[in-house]
């Protein structure tokens, strides 16, 4: 009994500390490069995105910030900041990471920060600076840069010149950060470019973050790896070098699928979380932003976000429950079977009753998905929003 109490208390502490940021674009109509299936309940305005985010936070208790994408959420730049601040107050959700958008302008056809034209590069840097200003206004700590730049045909661009332009652009952006702000550099192997991508992997992102300055770190989007890449090893390296800034969580089967976290390979999320817990127990410096980067073309958006956060809570707790003292001893002895069994058992342990206990203790709905269904929220917004939905438009 006492052991049960101790376990529950440990679990409660782990879950109390768990925070994961949800993306505004997860509530909007988004699609694949082939098309979008419009959903009647999708959010059309930033106010609706805040409202949906508040609902997810009410149900899960772990998502008090929402990532914003500059062009989609603040199309008028700084002029939109006061409206966002009002929504923060109204809904009790804070603006989270600010995501520059360097992938929609026609002039970025041959690149943004890496465009061979100095004029276009300068305009892309201006957008970075605007994003940093917006982040300052909104008290957002992180600017998360995902860069679409690259080329489609061999020999058509100087890969090296583009590296140098990118270093300059990131250094210039870094000069505008205030203390405490961070520039997170995200990588992705391909798409939209299909021959070379300027920030294709964690090595390139690590170099660029180091070149940019001390407030720049690497962002790992779990969907941005080739099949069978060992992501937890990349995470371990980034922790070791104190360069891990944050995550975009989602799952993948083929490429950048943006599927629900843990829906394809929950063991991988567990292994990533294990690296973070292990480093934290060892007292290593860690300052890692957990964010979700998912958009659902087919699933209901709020349901999918709740499902995602619940999966994250469960996997985070499972990984926290690995007996690290014992694991360390087994690793040192090279007792492979016992070490693996200990590790695997934590993964297979059903923590759902513990999470439910925590929810009840914190006045959260014990079954968030069921509570969402019973609340009538989705029906209500479906009625309110359906007549205004239209097809087409940009990605989000
Ligand atoms: C990219 C990348 C970025 C996200 C956009 C929408 O593939 O993951 O982080 O902002 O998609
Ligand atoms: Mn991402
Ligand atoms: Mn992506």
């Amino acid at each position: 009994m006492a052991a049960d109490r101790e376990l529950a208390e440990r679990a409660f502490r782990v879950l109390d500390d768990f925070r994961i940021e949800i993306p505004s674009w997860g509530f909007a109509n988004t699609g694949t490069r082939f098309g979008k299936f419009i959903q009647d309940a999708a959010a059309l305005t930033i106010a609706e995105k805040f409202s949906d985010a508040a609902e997810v936070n009410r149900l899960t208790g772990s998502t008090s910030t929402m990532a914003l994408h500059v062009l989609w959420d603040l199309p008028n730049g700084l002029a939109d900041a006061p409206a966002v601040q009002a929504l923060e107050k109204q809904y009790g959700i804070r603006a989270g990471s600010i995501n520059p958008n360097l992938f929609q302008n026609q002039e970025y056809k041959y690149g943004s920060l890496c465009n061979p034209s100095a004029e276009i590069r300068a305009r892309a840097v201006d957008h970075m600076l605007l994003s940093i200003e917006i982040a300052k206004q909104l008290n957002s700590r992180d600017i998360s840069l995902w860069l679409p730049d690259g080329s489609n045909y061999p020999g058509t661009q100087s890969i090296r010149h583009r590296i140098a332009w990118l270093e300059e652009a990131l250094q210039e952006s870094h000069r505008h950060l205030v203390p405490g702000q961070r520039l997170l550099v995200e990588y992705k192997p391909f798409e939209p470019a299909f021959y070379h991508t300027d920030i294709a992997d964690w090595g390139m992102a690590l170099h660029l973050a180091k070149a940019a300055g001390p407030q720049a770190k690497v962002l790992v989007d779990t969907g941005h790896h080739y099949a069978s890449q060992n992501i937890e090893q990349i995470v371990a390296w980034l922790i070791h070098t104190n360069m891990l800034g944050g995550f975009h969580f989602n799952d993948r089967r083929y490429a950048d699928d943006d599927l629900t976290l843990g829906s394809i390979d929950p063991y991988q999320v567990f292994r990533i979380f294990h690296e973070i817990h292990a480093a934290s127990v060892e007292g290593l410096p860690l300052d890692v932003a957990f964010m979700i980067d998912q958009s659902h073309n087919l699933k209901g958006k709020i349901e999918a976000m709740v499902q995602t956060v619940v999966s994250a809570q469960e996997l985070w707790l499972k990984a926290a429950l690995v007996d690290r003292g014992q694991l360390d001893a087994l690793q040192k002895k090279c007792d492979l079977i016992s070490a693996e069994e200990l590790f695997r058992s934590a993964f297979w342990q059903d923590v759902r009753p513990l999470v439910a206990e925590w929810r009840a203790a914190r006045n959260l709905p014990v079954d968030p998905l069921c509570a969402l269904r019973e609340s009538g929220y989705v029906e209500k917004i479906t009625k309110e929003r359906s007549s205004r939905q239209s097809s087409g438009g940009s990605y989000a």
Side-chain angles (χ1 to χ4, degrees), residues 23 25 30 68-69 72 99-101 103-104 144-148 186-188 190-192 219 221 223-224 248 250 256 258 292-295 395-396:
W25 54 99
T30 50
L68 301 176
H69 234 289
W72 303 333
N99 293 248
N101 187 316
F103 48 89
Q104 282 182 198
S144 298
L145 172 67
W146 170 68
L147 194 73
E186 182 173 352
Y187 58 91
K188 172 168 162 170
F190 63 90
E191 196 197 38
L219 186 144
D221 183 315
H224 292 187
H248 272 176
N250 51 57
D256 189 21
D258 286 347
I292 293 163
D293 184 4
Q294 287 174 193
S295 62
Y395 175 78

Side-chain angles (χ1 to χ4, degrees), residues 189-190 202 222-234 251-257 264-265 268 271-272:
F190 63 90
W202 72 280
T222 47
H224 292 187
H225 299 87
Y226 289 113
S228 89
Q229 241 180 309
N230 187 335
I231 302 176
E232 62 270 27
Q233 185 180 12
I234 295 172
D251 214 337
R252 75 187 284 287
R253 181 68 183 85
Y254 299 103
D256 189 21
D257 309 334
I264 306 287
D265 187 357
Q268 176 171 80
R271 297 190 306 262
I272 291 171

Side-chain angles (χ1 to χ4, degrees), residues 6 14 18 30 41 43 53-54 84 109 111 118 136 140 143 185 204 270 282 285 295 334 337 348 360 379:
E6 211 180 285
V14 169
F18 184 67
T30 50
V84 171
K109 185 171 175 183
K136 280 181 202 164
S140 290
I143 291 91
V185 183
M204 300 176 202
F270 171 86
E282 287 174 36
S295 62
C334 294
I337 300 283
W348 285 111
E379 285 77 9

Side-chain angles (χ1 to χ4, degrees), residues 10-323:
R10 206 168 127 214
F12 285 16
R13 278 197 302 276
V14 169
L15 292 167
D16 282 343
D17 290 345
F18 184 67
R19 287 270 154 276
I20 193 158
E21 183 164 305
I22 46 183
S24 70
W25 54 99
F27 299 115
N29 277 314
T30 50
T32 67
R33 65 199 173 99
F34 298 101
K36 279 184 195 176
F37 292 110
I38 301 303
Q39 295 191 20
D40 285 343
L44 296 165
T45 64
I46 174 113
E48 290 171 354
K49 293 171 185 173
F50 266 93
S51 168
D52 294 354
E55 186 63 10
V56 174
N57 192 36
R58 181 184 76 77
L59 294 164
T60 64
S62 292
T63 62
S64 53
T65 62
M66 178 168 72
L68 301 176
H69 234 289
V70 171
L71 286 195
W72 303 333
D73 297 321
L74 296 107
N76 307 304
L78 283 170
D80 285 331
V84 171
Q85 281 162 329
L87 291 168
E88 287 182 302
K89 282 213 189 78
Q90 186 180 341
Y91 290 104
I93 294 290
R94 272 175 303 110
S97 61
I98 299 298
N99 293 248
N101 187 316
L102 294 169
F103 48 89
Q104 282 182 198
N105 258 352
Q106 288 299 316
E107 65 181 351
Y108 298 149
K109 185 171 175 183
Y110 303 121
S112 58
L113 298 176
C114 302
N115 196 297
S117 151
E119 238 174 81
I120 295 176
R121 289 203 301 279
R123 281 203 284 277
V125 169
D126 278 348
H127 181 76
M128 288 297 294
L129 303 190
L130 169 69
S131 305
I132 293 168
E133 272 317 306
I134 289 172
K136 280 181 202 164
Q137 287 285 316
L138 297 177
N139 255 318
S140 290
R141 182 167 75 133
D142 293 334
I143 291 91
S144 298
L145 172 67
W146 170 68
L147 194 73
D149 292 24
S151 70
N152 269 357
Y153 304 98
T156 59
Q157 287 292 301
S158 163
I159 295 174
R160 267 186 311 99
H161 291 170
R162 293 170 70 106
I163 299 172
W165 293 327
L166 196 42
E167 286 170 343
E168 273 171 36
L170 295 185
Q171 280 158 3
E172 174 64 7
S173 305
H174 193 283
R175 272 193 281 279
H176 289 77
L177 297 175
V178 291
Q181 270 192 318
R182 306 191 305 173
L183 175 64
L184 304 183
V185 183
E186 182 173 352
Y187 58 91
K188 172 168 162 170
F190 63 90
E191 196 197 38
F194 290 109
Y195 163 60
H196 105 278
T197 293
D198 288 292
I199 315 179
D201 66 23
W202 72 280
M204 300 176 202
L206 176 65
H207 166 81
L208 289 166
K210 285 212 155 134
Q215 288 165 243
K217 304 272 169 187
V218 176
L219 186 144
V220 177
D221 183 315
T222 47
H224 292 187
H225 299 87
Y226 289 113
S228 89
Q229 241 180 309
N230 187 335
I231 302 176
E232 62 270 27
Q233 185 180 12
I234 295 172
V235 170
W237 271 83
L238 291 172
I239 292 174
H240 178 78
T241 51
N242 195 16
M243 289 301 285
L244 180 63
F247 285 94
H248 272 176
F249 283 111
N250 51 57
D251 214 337
R252 75 187 284 287
R253 181 68 183 85
Y254 299 103
D256 189 21
D257 309 334
D258 286 347
L259 298 178
T260 305
L261 174 147
S263 58
I264 306 287
D265 187 357
Y267 196 33
Q268 176 171 80
V269 186
F270 171 86
R271 297 190 306 262
I272 291 171
F273 281 163
H274 162 70
E275 289 302 328
I276 295 165
H277 282 302
S280 140
V281 166
E282 287 174 36
L284 295 186
L286 268 186
D287 190 356
V288 188
F290 288 165
M291 301 174 260
I292 293 163
D293 184 4
Q294 287 174 193
S295 62
H296 306 96
N297 197 19
L298 304 177
K299 275 181 177 174
K301 288 161 199 300
I302 300 167
E303 292 93 321
M305 203 57 81
V306 169
Q307 213 188 14
T308 304
V309 177
V310 167
S311 303
Q313 288 169 324
E314 290 165 0
L315 289 161
W316 179 247
L317 179 57
K318 279 173 191 269
L321 296 180
V322 171
D323 184 335

